Amino acid sequence: MRRMSFEPPAEHYDRRLEAIDEQICDLIERRKELSNNNPGFPTKQLISSWSKKYNFYEDFLNSVFAGFLNEDIYRPVVEPKGFLKNIPILKSFEKDDVFYSVTFVRQFENASVVHFNIDREDSDDEMPRRFREPIFFDLSIEGRETDYDCRNEGGGGSGGHESYTFIVSPALPDDLSKLKLVFKQCKIPFQKPTGFEFVINLDK
């Protein structure tokens, strides 16, 4: 999914703010380093106190700190190019009558695309999809020294079937036998883990 290019919301910039804005960037970097890039979120009491002390709306401060949690979504997008082949996987995991499966991987010259499905019984008594708490899955890959970047490209479905794709870069090796796909369920919009995860081993 190609991200739209950013357009500045204003045409002017007060250059008197340059030193202050650079200090803000420096503080953000120091915040990441001090927290090992896992800062959590300020308590409601802190947000309320800071909003009064510095004359900001509470919702504005909430949005600022929420933005710090989502930096990864701004990583440069890798667009798969140069299709090579499809690799069948057909591996699955089942829990509470929900069937999770990885059907195949599409190999490109610069990336791989993992196809992930979720299937459940489409019951008339089940809560309609639009009223369910929105969740999604993060993917990480273990088994090699390579640090793979895995991006959930979204998906959709109908009835009891959902289908999603993950873009993985760099491209996975053709021999997937030593790799493990680790799927972690998260709540959106802040990617908060629910505690449910499972592993699909790609050994033959």
Side-chain angles (χ1 to χ4, degrees):
M1 183 182 298
R2 187 179 298 275
R3 183 184 301 133
M4 295 180 61
S5 60
F6 178 78
E7 292 292 336
E11 296 182 358
H12 77 283
Y13 178 66
D14 189 336
R15 298 306 294 261
R16 294 174 299 177
L17 303 178
E18 183 175 349
I20 294 176
D21 290 345
E22 184 174 358
Q23 286 181 335
I24 292 174
C25 293
D26 178 64
L27 288 171
I28 293 173
E29 181 186 31
R30 289 163 56 186
R31 185 177 189 268
K32 286 177 57 177
E33 292 177 351
L34 185 62
S35 67
N36 196 26
N37 203 24
N38 185 26
F41 200 87
T43 64
K44 291 182 179 180
Q45 292 79 8
L46 285 174
I47 293 292
S48 176
S49 174
W50 294 339
S51 71
K52 295 173 183 176
K53 182 176 181 179
Y54 298 107
N55 196 29
F56 289 119
Y57 296 116
E58 289 188 20
D59 283 346
F60 170 73
L61 291 180
N62 282 328
S63 68
V64 168
F65 286 101
F68 292 152
L69 297 176
N70 290 326
E71 182 188 2
D72 281 351
I73 69 174
Y74 299 104
R75 293 193 308 268
V77 176
V78 174
E79 296 288 342
K81 295 180 180 179
F83 173 73
L84 299 174
K85 62 180 177 179
N86 293 317
I87 301 178
I89 302 298
L90 303 177
K91 297 281 187 176
S92 62
F93 175 84
E94 186 172 4
K95 181 180 180 182
D96 298 332
D97 297 326
V98 181
F99 191 74
Y100 306 90
S101 60
V102 175
T103 51
F104 68 102
V105 172
R106 289 176 65 84
Q107 289 287 71
F108 293 81
E109 293 177 355
N110 65 331
S112 299
V113 180
V114 176
H115 288 254
F116 173 60
N117 294 331
I118 303 175
D119 290 276
R120 56 170 59 85
E121 185 69 24
D122 186 20
S123 171
D124 293 336
D125 297 330
E126 188 177 12
M127 182 182 297
R129 183 187 305 274
R130 65 181 180 275
F131 296 132
R132 296 180 199 156
E133 185 175 26
I135 59 172
F136 81 117
F137 281 86
D138 262 340
L139 170 64
S140 59
I141 297 178
E142 300 177 354
R144 289 181 180 267
E145 295 182 357
T146 305
D147 184 17
Y148 290 104
D149 177 61
C150 305
R151 183 185 297 273
N152 188 328
E153 283 294 281
S158 61
H161 176 78
E162 299 171 52
S163 180
Y164 300 90
T165 56
F166 295 85
I167 294 180
V168 179
S169 61
L172 296 171
D174 289 343
D175 180 7
L176 304 175
S177 60
K178 295 182 180 180
L179 297 181
K180 297 179 180 179
L181 306 184
V182 182
F183 292 91
K184 296 182 180 180
Q185 188 184 63
C186 302
K187 296 179 181 179
I188 58 176
F190 302 124
Q191 301 184 15
K192 183 177 181 180
T194 65
F196 171 54
E197 65 178 76
F198 62 91
V199 176
I200 290 184
N201 291 293
L202 298 184
D203 54 327
K204 297 181 180 179

